[in-house]
Amino acid sequence: MSSISLSKGQRIDLTKTNPGLTKVIIGLGWDTNKYSGGHDFDLDACAFMCNADNKVENDNEFIFYNNLKSPNGAVEHTGDNRTGEGEGDDERMNVDFSLLPPHVEKVGITVTIHDAEARGQNFGQVSNAFVRVIDASSNREILRYDLGEDFSIETAVVVCELYKHAGEWKFNAIGSGFQGGLAALCRNYGLDV
């Protein structure tokens, strides 16, 4: 089966159409324009483990470079790539649907630009951003969503959400930008900054 390519706003089944799928790898990648004012771009992937009200209940269910793993390992960030150089995924998250606590009904996957304001950087200077979902057991790419060049002054992007519907997990290609970086995202998901 070949990978399915999604566009913004599309939703697709994960667990229902892939029976036995429990562990996925979320791969995120991007290229940054070289005329960025002399600073390296450091893009950071984060995951927000949300309840039905789209809020993170416990601070330790916000997964980012200072908290790489949720309490029982359901969501794990495999580490910060500080340059985005090279082919393939720049950062990865592992998600185990079978370990997600019952109150978690959605996992928001986001990317922010570290120190964007100080460095005068934004997503208008980022190109070829994508997310892909890989079946961890077979390493098969299930789907891919290319974000396109929809951004200008935003410093944070909600890339996609994994969400539970009728007991099955689905993928929503979101691609919506925020100004205000990580703090804006945290407020969006109900965390005090």
Side-chain angles (χ1 to χ4, degrees):
M1 245 170 58
S2 62
S3 174
I4 298 168
S5 190
L6 298 184
S7 48
K8 183 171 177 157
Q10 276 189 295
R11 297 166 183 255
I12 191 169
D13 274 314
L14 289 175
T15 53
K16 198 174 181 178
T17 48
N18 297 281
L21 181 70
T22 54
K23 293 182 183 171
V24 294
I25 300 160
I26 310 290
L28 298 140
W30 48 76
D31 295 320
T32 52
N33 298 347
K34 294 295 174 238
Y35 59 80
S36 61
H39 293 284
D40 276 342
F41 270 81
D42 179 11
L43 274 70
D44 296 313
C46 308
F48 294 86
M49 300 167 66
C50 303
N51 62 20
D53 297 325
N54 207 34
K55 302 290 182 236
V56 176
E57 288 185 13
N58 311 307
D59 285 353
N60 56 15
E61 292 181 334
F62 165 42
I63 311 305
F64 68 120
Y65 52 85
N66 282 335
N67 178 36
L68 291 174
K69 202 172 185 177
S70 69
N72 69 347
V75 179
E76 182 177 7
H77 192 310
T78 63
D80 187 13
N81 172 341
R82 289 175 184 272
T83 62
E85 290 295 310
E87 293 296 302
D89 302 333
D90 291 310
E91 294 198 2
R92 282 184 158 192
M93 301 258 188
N94 298 325
V95 179
D96 187 334
F97 296 122
S98 68
L99 293 179
L100 286 169
H103 68 269
V104 173
E105 301 209 355
K106 185 185 283 183
V107 180
I109 306 289
T110 67
V111 178
T112 57
I113 302 173
H114 191 65
D115 274 347
E117 215 163 288
R119 298 177 183 182
Q121 296 172 342
N122 58 55
F123 272 97
Q125 300 159 324
V126 175
S127 54
N128 304 322
F130 68 85
V131 61
R132 58 198 196 108
V133 177
I134 302 145
D135 180 344
S137 65
S138 64
N139 228 21
R140 178 178 70 87
E141 183 180 298
I142 298 171
L143 65 85
R144 180 183 174 104
Y145 165 41
D146 289 290
L147 275 75
E149 313 299 319
D150 289 344
F151 308 106
S152 54
I153 56 174
E154 293 88 349
T155 52
V157 175
V158 177
V159 177
C160 63
E161 288 177 341
L162 309 173
Y163 68 100
K164 194 160 56 177
H165 178 74
E168 301 283 354
W169 285 90
K170 297 178 176 243
F171 177 96
N172 185 6
I174 293 187
S176 68
F178 283 74
Q179 292 178 48
L182 189 55
L185 285 180
C186 287
R187 284 191 294 271
N188 179 58
Y189 287 111
L191 286 169
D192 294 327
V193 190

